[in-house]
Amino acid sequence: MSMVAVAAALATSTACSSRDRTASGSATSVEPVTVFAAADLRFALADVARLYRAQGGDSLVLVFGSTGDLTTQIINGAPADLFFAANAPAIDSLASRSMIVDSTRRVYALGRLALIARCPTTRLVSQTADARCPAPARLEDVAASTVRSIAIADPAHAPYGLAARQALERAGLWKAVEPRIVLGANVSQAYQFVSTGNADVGLVALSLVARDTVLGHTLVDAALHDPLRQTVAVMAASAHQDAAVKFLAFLETPAAKEAMHGFGFDEDAR
Amino acid sequence: MNLHIGTWPLALSLFVATLATVCALLVGIPLAWLLARRRFRGRALLEVLVLLPMVLPPTVIGYYLLVMVGRRSTVGHLYETLFGAPLVFTPGAAVLATFVAAAPFLVRAAQGGFEQVDASYEDAARTLGRSEWSIFLTVTTPLAWRGILAGTALCFARAMGEFGATLMLAGNIPGRTQTASLAVYDAVQAGNFTRASTLALLLSLMTGLALAALTRAGRAPVDPLREPPR
């Protein structure tokens, strides 16, 4: 039947493209290293991975999601080699199940919250730094009556969502803003709600907006939320532990540190 | 390089949807025939169970599947023992989730097709001494082909668009389980609207073409002697 022919053709094409992937990777590992990473790293880690490959490192498959979602997936057998969480408890819960290589565990960055606002007009072309759409100057401004929607990540499973909620609570604003909160599945979705102009303001990861050429941002006082001790570990079940450790070592190089710094991660994080 | 990153999710979607549709044909046609032609205890219950995935939220389907074939389930454990790796978060899991979500569309339409076949043809075949199996294969199924084809088209189209159940059971891993619909979701989250638009347009085009081809093949032939209805 033609169906079978189609399936066979596809199987062949799929096989071909996976071979292409390997060919473009490095000689050390046959399969690419699968990196599960918190959504706040969507731009930063993609940049670091590019640098890594440019220096002859392995090709990495980056999977982004909320830390909570990714943790659940890893517990249920998702094939992660390396997990960059946005907090420490996620790695703790994996450690308690003996699912990480303990010696590889470390805090790679301290997360910061940033306040952003949508552009009043549609501006799609990249702008010069001084022409960015301004963010509210103070956290209290999100409670203004003109703000109809406030995007944050889902506090139930996203560390940046939890931090945003804590900040609003500790600033005494939560009650006033709660009906106007819109939840993203993870912090990069919350950012996308604002960047597409669909939410008025957002409390998102600094790393997502640090290099944004369109949206300006205001840093939120780190004392208003529990520290986001972003922790990484190599998975015990990984078949590519050596390759994963190599990438972790690359993160310690000046080039990688500088890149992370560019996305708003302080060097003296730990 | 950009090309293969861009086309891989579409190739995977086609692969997953095709496999899921083939499975749906193998399981769905006998099931549709059973529901259309046989009266037995529990038939009403079976009919509801078969159609339920059509109306349940994909997240509920995904959740049930995780409970049923996840690593901590009996089936999942057995699978892992047999094949040495869990089923979840693999392309196979994407096929399973897509099959469960899409097969009811085939069963529903094929059942309608079987119900429209005049039972007297089957009776005639019986008087000629044909076995029930042979009647099913050579009389009933060929007469019900229009319904089966329509069902196949719907099933395939639904399979190409499957999102929720696949996300829960197979995850969203680029180059492994990231189908086109998941890649669109991912691209939108990343703010990569060029990629999202390209994938969305290609997905719409491919699914639309498949639907058009199959519905065209299934259209009733025009009878030149008959006046078109006014």
Side-chain angles (χ1 to χ4, degrees):
Chain A
M1 275 171 66
S2 58
M3 280 290 188
V4 180
V6 172
L10 278 165
T12 318
S13 71
T14 314
C16 288
S17 45
S18 53
R19 205 176 311 131
D20 292 345
R21 300 180 62 81
T22 331
S24 58
S26 91
T28 45
S29 67
V30 181
E31 281 173 49
V33 177
T34 304
V35 179
F36 275 40
D40 71 295
L41 298 170
R42 200 180 259 282
F43 305 138
L45 208 58
D47 202 49
V48 172
R50 253 194 308 274
L51 280 177
Y52 187 53
R53 275 199 61 174
Q55 305 204 347
D58 297 292
S59 72
L60 308 170
V61 171
L62 303 176
V63 180
F64 296 105
S66 79
T67 293
D69 278 351
L70 295 177
T71 308
T72 309
Q73 292 187 4
I74 290 170
I75 290 171
N76 283 295
D81 295 312
L82 195 56
F83 179 29
F84 286 86
N87 62 8
I91 300 294
D92 290 340
S93 81
L94 292 178
S96 70
R97 292 174 167 83
S98 310
M99 294 184 74
I100 65 163
V101 180
D102 286 312
S103 61
T104 60
R105 175 195 171 128
R106 64 186 170 82
V107 177
Y108 61 91
L110 204 59
R112 289 296 302 272
L113 267 182
L115 186 57
I116 53 171
R118 76 190 199 111
C119 288
T121 52
T122 320
R123 293 204 231 162
L124 291 172
V125 201
S126 62
Q127 321 251 307
T128 52
D130 53 321
R132 287 184 194 174
C133 299
R138 301 171 316 137
L139 187 58
E140 288 68 35
D141 296 341
V142 304
S145 59
T146 49
V147 173
R148 281 161 305 170
S149 49
I150 300 150
I152 67 171
D154 192 339
H157 52 85
Y160 276 95
L162 184 63
R165 185 185 170 144
Q166 286 171 343
L168 290 167
E169 279 171 349
R170 290 176 197 171
L173 301 166
W174 182 255
K175 272 223 157 68
V177 300
E178 196 183 353
R180 289 177 274 169
I181 293 281
V182 284
L183 296 181
N186 53 60
V187 73
S188 75
Q189 192 173 47
Y191 161 69
Q192 178 252 310
F193 288 165
V194 181
S195 68
T196 54
N198 292 307
D200 292 324
V201 300
L203 275 169
V204 300
L206 171 64
S207 52
L208 290 173
V209 295
R211 284 175 47 175
D212 198 310
T213 49
V214 179
L215 298 184
H217 65 264
T218 304
L219 263 181
V220 175
D221 184 359
L224 284 174
H225 57 83
D226 297 346
L228 289 159
R229 301 177 65 79
Q230 302 203 199
T231 308
V232 64
V234 175
M235 297 300 110
S238 162
H240 313 103
Q241 288 181 359
D242 292 347
V245 166
K246 254 175 72 186
F247 178 61
L248 280 185
F250 175 73
L251 281 177
E252 296 296 328
T253 62
K257 278 188 168 173
E258 196 191 316
M260 289 294 277
H261 193 65
F263 285 94
F265 290 118
D266 285 337
E267 281 214 45
D268 48 353
R270 35 225 111 131
Chain B
M1 150 99 190
N2 277 333
L3 187 73
H4 109 231
I5 292 288
T7 50
W8 207 91
L10 283 165
L12 181 67
S13 272
L14 262 177
F15 181 71
V16 167
T18 306
L19 267 185
T21 306
V22 169
C23 294
L25 280 167
L26 292 176
V27 178
I29 291 178
L31 205 57
W33 176 84
L34 198 69
L35 290 170
R37 278 291 184 261
R38 288 287 182 265
R39 296 292 171 267
F40 50 91
R41 271 177 73 108
R43 179 184 167 278
L45 180 68
L46 179 66
E47 194 163 18
V48 169
L49 278 179
V50 165
L51 295 185
L52 209 51
M54 234 164 142
V55 290
L56 280 179
T59 46
V60 173
I61 301 174
Y63 173 70
Y64 282 150
L65 285 173
L66 260 186
V67 170
M68 284 190 287
V69 304
R71 295 188 83 188
R72 278 172 283 188
S73 69
T74 321
V75 178
H77 194 76
L78 189 72
Y79 185 95
E80 208 170 326
T81 321
L82 283 176
F83 298 100
L87 170 68
V88 286
F89 307 108
T90 62
V95 174
L96 176 64
T98 304
F99 163 75
V100 173
F105 289 84
L106 188 139
V107 176
R108 183 66 249 175
Q111 186 184 340
F114 282 127
E115 276 162 358
Q116 280 178 7
V117 174
D118 194 334
S120 61
Y121 292 118
E122 293 165 1
D123 290 339
R126 266 179 211 111
T127 63
L128 297 171
R130 302 284 290 277
S131 71
E132 289 299 312
W133 179 237
S134 148
I135 293 169
F136 166 73
L137 277 183
T138 60
V139 178
T140 320
T141 302
L143 284 170
W145 74 276
R146 241 181 267 287
I148 294 171
L149 201 66
T152 309
L154 279 174
C155 172
F156 180 79
R158 174 70 180 81
M160 282 294 285
E162 216 311 297
F163 175 78
T166 309
L167 179 61
M168 289 184 75
L169 197 68
N172 183 9
I173 306 170
R176 191 175 158 99
T177 62
Q178 189 181 72
T179 58
S181 47
L182 288 162
V184 170
Y185 175 74
D186 212 51
V188 171
Q189 285 209 353
N192 189 346
F193 292 98
T194 320
R195 178 164 159 75
S197 314
T198 312
L199 280 169
L201 279 174
L202 284 173
L203 191 60
S204 310
L205 197 71
M206 278 161 61
T207 313
L209 280 177
L211 270 180
L214 284 165
T215 45
R216 196 183 178 85
R219 197 172 298 150
V222 181
D223 185 346
L225 297 177
R226 198 187 246 173
E227 287 280 306
R230 283 174 209 279

Short mmCIF file of all heavy atoms in Angstrom, two decimals, chain A residues 123-169:
data_model
loop_
_atom_site.label_atom_id
_atom_site.label_comp_id
_atom_site.label_asym_id
_atom_site.label_seq_id
_atom_site.Cartn_x
_atom_site.Cartn_y
_atom_site.Cartn_z
N ARG A 123 6.40 47.71 17.80
CA ARG A 123 7.75 47.98 17.31
C ARG A 123 8.41 46.63 17.11
O ARG A 123 8.64 45.90 18.04
CB ARG A 123 8.54 48.77 18.34
CG ARG A 123 8.00 50.17 18.52
CD ARG A 123 9.10 51.06 19.04
NE ARG A 123 8.67 51.78 20.22
CZ ARG A 123 9.53 52.34 21.05
NH1 ARG A 123 10.82 52.18 20.87
NH2 ARG A 123 9.10 53.02 22.08
N LEU A 124 8.64 46.31 15.87
CA LEU A 124 9.17 44.98 15.60
C LEU A 124 10.65 45.02 15.26
O LEU A 124 11.39 44.09 15.55
CB LEU A 124 8.39 44.33 14.45
CG LEU A 124 6.96 43.95 14.83
CD1 LEU A 124 6.18 43.50 13.62
CD2 LEU A 124 6.94 42.86 15.89
N VAL A 125 11.09 46.12 14.69
CA VAL A 125 12.49 46.22 14.29
C VAL A 125 13.34 46.42 15.55
O VAL A 125 12.91 47.05 16.50
CB VAL A 125 12.69 47.41 13.34
CG1 VAL A 125 13.96 47.25 12.54
CG2 VAL A 125 11.49 47.59 12.44
N SER A 126 14.52 45.84 15.56
CA SER A 126 15.38 46.00 16.73
C SER A 126 15.74 47.47 16.89
O SER A 126 15.96 48.20 15.93
CB SER A 126 16.64 45.16 16.58
OG SER A 126 17.37 45.59 15.47
N GLN A 127 15.80 47.88 18.14
CA GLN A 127 15.97 49.29 18.45
C GLN A 127 17.34 49.55 19.05
O GLN A 127 18.02 48.65 19.50
CB GLN A 127 14.92 49.69 19.50
CG GLN A 127 13.59 49.03 19.29
CD GLN A 127 12.56 50.00 18.82
OE1 GLN A 127 12.36 51.01 19.44
NE2 GLN A 127 11.92 49.69 17.72
N THR A 128 17.69 50.80 19.09
CA THR A 128 18.91 51.15 19.81
C THR A 128 18.60 51.13 21.29
O THR A 128 17.44 51.27 21.70
CB THR A 128 19.39 52.54 19.40
OG1 THR A 128 18.31 53.45 19.55
CG2 THR A 128 19.87 52.56 17.98
N ALA A 129 19.64 50.97 22.10
CA ALA A 129 19.44 50.76 23.54
C ALA A 129 18.64 51.87 24.20
O ALA A 129 17.81 51.60 25.05
CB ALA A 129 20.79 50.61 24.22
N ASP A 130 18.85 53.10 23.77
CA ASP A 130 18.18 54.19 24.46
C ASP A 130 16.73 54.35 24.02
O ASP A 130 15.99 55.14 24.60
CB ASP A 130 18.95 55.50 24.25
CG ASP A 130 19.20 55.76 22.77
OD1 ASP A 130 19.48 54.78 22.07
OD2 ASP A 130 19.09 56.92 22.34
N ALA A 131 16.32 53.61 23.00
CA ALA A 131 14.94 53.75 22.53
C ALA A 131 14.08 52.56 22.95
O ALA A 131 13.01 52.35 22.41
CB ALA A 131 14.93 53.90 21.02
N ARG A 132 14.55 51.78 23.93
CA ARG A 132 13.76 50.62 24.37
C ARG A 132 12.44 51.05 24.98
O ARG A 132 12.32 52.15 25.52
CB ARG A 132 14.54 49.86 25.43
CG ARG A 132 15.71 49.10 24.88
CD ARG A 132 16.31 48.33 26.02
NE ARG A 132 17.63 47.83 25.68
CZ ARG A 132 18.41 47.23 26.56
NH1 ARG A 132 17.99 47.05 27.79
NH2 ARG A 132 19.58 46.80 26.21
N CYS A 133 11.46 50.13 24.93
CA CYS A 133 10.20 50.41 25.60
C CYS A 133 10.46 50.39 27.10
O CYS A 133 10.99 49.41 27.62
CB CYS A 133 9.17 49.35 25.24
SG CYS A 133 8.83 49.32 23.50
N PRO A 134 10.10 51.45 27.79
CA PRO A 134 10.46 51.54 29.21
C PRO A 134 9.69 50.55 30.08
O PRO A 134 8.51 50.29 29.84
CB PRO A 134 10.12 52.99 29.56
CG PRO A 134 9.08 53.38 28.57
CD PRO A 134 9.36 52.62 27.32
N ALA A 135 10.38 50.03 31.10
CA ALA A 135 9.73 49.18 32.10
C ALA A 135 9.24 50.08 33.22
O ALA A 135 9.74 51.18 33.39
CB ALA A 135 10.74 48.17 32.62
N PRO A 136 8.26 49.62 34.02
CA PRO A 136 7.85 50.41 35.19
C PRO A 136 9.06 50.63 36.08
O PRO A 136 9.91 49.75 36.23
CB PRO A 136 6.83 49.51 35.88
CG PRO A 136 6.36 48.56 34.82
CD PRO A 136 7.51 48.37 33.90
N ALA A 137 9.16 51.80 36.67
CA ALA A 137 10.34 52.13 37.46
C ALA A 137 10.38 51.39 38.79
O ALA A 137 11.44 51.03 39.29
CB ALA A 137 10.39 53.64 37.70
N ARG A 138 9.21 51.14 39.36
CA ARG A 138 9.17 50.49 40.67
C ARG A 138 8.19 49.32 40.62
O ARG A 138 7.24 49.32 39.84
CB ARG A 138 8.71 51.49 41.73
CG ARG A 138 9.62 52.72 41.86
CD ARG A 138 8.96 53.76 42.77
NE ARG A 138 7.55 53.92 42.46
CZ ARG A 138 6.59 54.02 43.37
NH1 ARG A 138 6.87 53.97 44.65
NH2 ARG A 138 5.33 54.18 42.99
N LEU A 139 8.40 48.35 41.51
CA LEU A 139 7.52 47.18 41.57
C LEU A 139 6.08 47.60 41.85
O LEU A 139 5.13 47.03 41.32
CB LEU A 139 8.03 46.21 42.64
CG LEU A 139 7.33 44.86 42.73
CD1 LEU A 139 7.43 44.11 41.40
CD2 LEU A 139 7.92 44.00 43.85
N GLU A 140 5.91 48.64 42.68
CA GLU A 140 4.57 49.10 43.08
C GLU A 140 3.73 49.49 41.86
O GLU A 140 2.50 49.43 41.90
CB GLU A 140 4.66 50.30 44.03
CG GLU A 140 5.14 50.00 45.44
CD GLU A 140 6.61 49.57 45.47
OE1 GLU A 140 7.41 50.09 44.66
OE2 GLU A 140 6.94 48.69 46.28
N ASP A 141 4.42 49.89 40.77
CA ASP A 141 3.69 50.35 39.59
C ASP A 141 2.82 49.27 38.94
O ASP A 141 1.89 49.57 38.21
CB ASP A 141 4.68 50.89 38.53
CG ASP A 141 5.41 52.12 39.04
OD1 ASP A 141 4.90 52.74 40.00
OD2 ASP A 141 6.46 52.45 38.47
N VAL A 142 3.14 47.98 39.23
CA VAL A 142 2.34 46.92 38.59
C VAL A 142 0.92 46.90 39.15
O VAL A 142 0.01 46.34 38.54
CB VAL A 142 2.97 45.51 38.73
CG1 VAL A 142 4.37 45.48 38.18
CG2 VAL A 142 2.93 45.02 40.17
N ALA A 143 0.72 47.52 40.31
CA ALA A 143 -0.62 47.53 40.92
C ALA A 143 -1.47 48.68 40.39
O ALA A 143 -2.64 48.81 40.75
CB ALA A 143 -0.51 47.60 42.43
N ALA A 144 -0.88 49.54 39.55
CA ALA A 144 -1.63 50.68 39.01
C ALA A 144 -2.88 50.21 38.27
O ALA A 144 -2.90 49.12 37.70
CB ALA A 144 -0.74 51.49 38.06
N SER A 145 -3.91 51.06 38.30
CA SER A 145 -5.19 50.62 37.73
C SER A 145 -5.12 50.47 36.21
O SER A 145 -5.94 49.78 35.61
CB SER A 145 -6.29 51.62 38.10
OG SER A 145 -5.94 52.90 37.60
N THR A 146 -4.12 51.10 35.57
CA THR A 146 -3.99 50.99 34.12
C THR A 146 -3.44 49.64 33.70
O THR A 146 -3.55 49.26 32.54
CB THR A 146 -3.04 52.08 33.59
OG1 THR A 146 -1.86 52.06 34.39
CG2 THR A 146 -3.68 53.45 33.63
N VAL A 147 -2.83 48.92 34.66
CA VAL A 147 -2.27 47.60 34.34
C VAL A 147 -3.38 46.56 34.45
O VAL A 147 -3.94 46.35 35.52
CB VAL A 147 -1.10 47.26 35.30
CG1 VAL A 147 -0.66 45.82 35.08
CG2 VAL A 147 0.04 48.22 35.10
N ARG A 148 -3.70 45.95 33.33
CA ARG A 148 -4.80 44.97 33.35
C ARG A 148 -4.33 43.53 33.48
O ARG A 148 -5.05 42.66 33.92
CB ARG A 148 -5.66 45.12 32.09
CG ARG A 148 -6.65 46.28 32.18
CD ARG A 148 -7.13 46.65 30.81
NE ARG A 148 -5.99 46.93 29.93
CZ ARG A 148 -6.09 47.10 28.61
NH1 ARG A 148 -7.25 46.99 28.03
NH2 ARG A 148 -5.01 47.36 27.88
N SER A 149 -3.09 43.27 33.02
CA SER A 149 -2.61 41.89 33.13
C SER A 149 -1.12 41.87 33.50
O SER A 149 -0.34 42.67 32.99
CB SER A 149 -2.85 41.15 31.82
OG SER A 149 -2.39 41.91 30.73
N ILE A 150 -0.79 40.97 34.39
CA ILE A 150 0.58 40.84 34.88
C ILE A 150 1.02 39.40 34.63
O ILE A 150 0.45 38.46 35.19
CB ILE A 150 0.65 41.15 36.39
CG1 ILE A 150 0.16 42.58 36.64
CG2 ILE A 150 2.06 40.95 36.93
CD1 ILE A 150 -0.48 42.77 37.98
N ALA A 151 2.01 39.23 33.76
CA ALA A 151 2.45 37.87 33.42
C ALA A 151 3.54 37.40 34.36
O ALA A 151 4.54 38.10 34.57
CB ALA A 151 2.95 37.84 31.98
N ILE A 152 3.35 36.22 34.94
CA ILE A 152 4.41 35.56 35.71
C ILE A 152 4.37 34.08 35.32
O ILE A 152 3.40 33.61 34.72
CB ILE A 152 4.26 35.71 37.24
CG1 ILE A 152 3.02 34.97 37.76
CG2 ILE A 152 4.20 37.17 37.65
CD1 ILE A 152 2.94 34.90 39.29
N ALA A 153 5.43 33.34 35.62
CA ALA A 153 5.41 31.89 35.39
C ALA A 153 4.56 31.24 36.47
O ALA A 153 4.32 31.84 37.52
CB ALA A 153 6.82 31.35 35.40
N ASP A 154 4.10 30.04 36.22
CA ASP A 154 3.24 29.34 37.18
C ASP A 154 4.03 29.01 38.45
O ASP A 154 4.96 28.20 38.40
CB ASP A 154 2.71 28.05 36.53
CG ASP A 154 1.60 27.44 37.35
OD1 ASP A 154 1.51 27.75 38.57
OD2 ASP A 154 0.82 26.64 36.79
N PRO A 155 3.66 29.66 39.59
CA PRO A 155 4.44 29.42 40.82
C PRO A 155 4.39 27.96 41.28
O PRO A 155 5.23 27.54 42.06
CB PRO A 155 3.74 30.31 41.86
CG PRO A 155 2.91 31.27 41.07
CD PRO A 155 2.55 30.57 39.81
N ALA A 156 3.42 27.21 40.79
CA ALA A 156 3.28 25.82 41.24
C ALA A 156 4.48 24.97 40.84
O ALA A 156 4.85 24.04 41.55
CB ALA A 156 2.00 25.21 40.66
N HIS A 157 5.10 25.29 39.69
CA HIS A 157 6.23 24.44 39.28
C HIS A 157 7.38 25.21 38.64
O HIS A 157 8.36 24.61 38.24
CB HIS A 157 5.75 23.33 38.34
CG HIS A 157 4.95 23.82 37.18
ND1 HIS A 157 5.55 24.25 36.03
CD2 HIS A 157 3.62 23.97 37.00
CE1 HIS A 157 4.61 24.64 35.19
NE2 HIS A 157 3.42 24.49 35.75
N ALA A 158 7.25 26.54 38.54
CA ALA A 158 8.33 27.32 37.94
C ALA A 158 8.98 28.20 39.02
O ALA A 158 8.29 29.03 39.62
CB ALA A 158 7.80 28.19 36.81
N PRO A 159 10.27 28.04 39.30
CA PRO A 159 10.93 28.79 40.37
C PRO A 159 10.80 30.32 40.20
O PRO A 159 10.59 31.02 41.19
CB PRO A 159 12.39 28.36 40.25
CG PRO A 159 12.32 26.99 39.66
CD PRO A 159 11.17 27.02 38.71
N TYR A 160 10.90 30.80 38.96
CA TYR A 160 10.77 32.25 38.76
C TYR A 160 9.34 32.72 39.02
O TYR A 160 9.12 33.86 39.41
CB TYR A 160 11.22 32.65 37.35
CG TYR A 160 12.71 32.85 37.25
CD1 TYR A 160 13.54 31.81 36.83
CD2 TYR A 160 13.28 34.06 37.61
CE1 TYR A 160 14.92 31.99 36.76
CE2 TYR A 160 14.66 34.24 37.55
CZ TYR A 160 15.47 33.21 37.12
OH TYR A 160 16.83 33.39 37.07
N GLY A 161 8.37 31.86 38.79
CA GLY A 161 6.99 32.18 39.11
C GLY A 161 6.80 32.29 40.61
O GLY A 161 6.16 33.22 41.12
N LEU A 162 7.43 31.35 41.33
CA LEU A 162 7.36 31.37 42.79
C LEU A 162 8.04 32.64 43.32
O LEU A 162 7.51 33.33 44.20
CB LEU A 162 8.03 30.12 43.36
CG LEU A 162 7.94 29.96 44.87
CD1 LEU A 162 6.49 29.81 45.31
CD2 LEU A 162 8.76 28.75 45.33
N ALA A 163 9.21 32.97 42.74
CA ALA A 163 9.93 34.16 43.18
C ALA A 163 9.10 35.42 42.91
O ALA A 163 9.05 36.33 43.75
CB ALA A 163 11.28 34.25 42.46
N ALA A 164 8.43 35.46 41.75
CA ALA A 164 7.60 36.61 41.40
C ALA A 164 6.46 36.75 42.40
O ALA A 164 6.15 37.85 42.87
CB ALA A 164 7.05 36.44 39.99
N ARG A 165 5.86 35.63 42.75
CA ARG A 165 4.76 35.66 43.70
C ARG A 165 5.24 36.13 45.08
O ARG A 165 4.60 36.96 45.73
CB ARG A 165 4.13 34.27 43.80
CG ARG A 165 2.92 34.25 44.68
CD ARG A 165 2.35 32.88 44.90
NE ARG A 165 1.35 33.00 45.96
CZ ARG A 165 0.23 32.33 46.00
NH1 ARG A 165 -0.04 31.45 45.06
NH2 ARG A 165 -0.61 32.52 46.97
N GLN A 166 6.41 35.59 45.49
CA GLN A 166 6.97 36.00 46.78
C GLN A 166 7.25 37.50 46.79
O GLN A 166 6.95 38.19 47.78
CB GLN A 166 8.27 35.24 47.05
CG GLN A 166 8.04 33.79 47.44
CD GLN A 166 9.35 32.99 47.49
OE1 GLN A 166 10.38 33.42 46.95
NE2 GLN A 166 9.30 31.84 48.13
N ALA A 167 7.82 38.00 45.69
CA ALA A 167 8.15 39.43 45.63
C ALA A 167 6.89 40.29 45.76
O ALA A 167 6.86 41.28 46.50
CB ALA A 167 8.88 39.74 44.34
N LEU A 168 5.84 39.87 45.04
CA LEU A 168 4.59 40.63 45.10
C LEU A 168 3.96 40.53 46.48
O LEU A 168 3.39 41.50 47.00
CB LEU A 168 3.61 40.13 44.02
CG LEU A 168 4.03 40.47 42.58
CD1 LEU A 168 3.19 39.69 41.58
CD2 LEU A 168 3.90 41.97 42.33
N GLU A 169 4.08 39.36 47.10
CA GLU A 169 3.52 39.18 48.45
C GLU A 169 4.28 40.05 49.45
O GLU A 169 3.68 40.75 50.26
CB GLU A 169 3.61 37.71 48.86
CG GLU A 169 2.48 36.86 48.28
CD GLU A 169 2.68 35.37 48.52
OE1 GLU A 169 3.78 34.97 48.96
OE2 GLU A 169 1.74 34.60 48.25
#
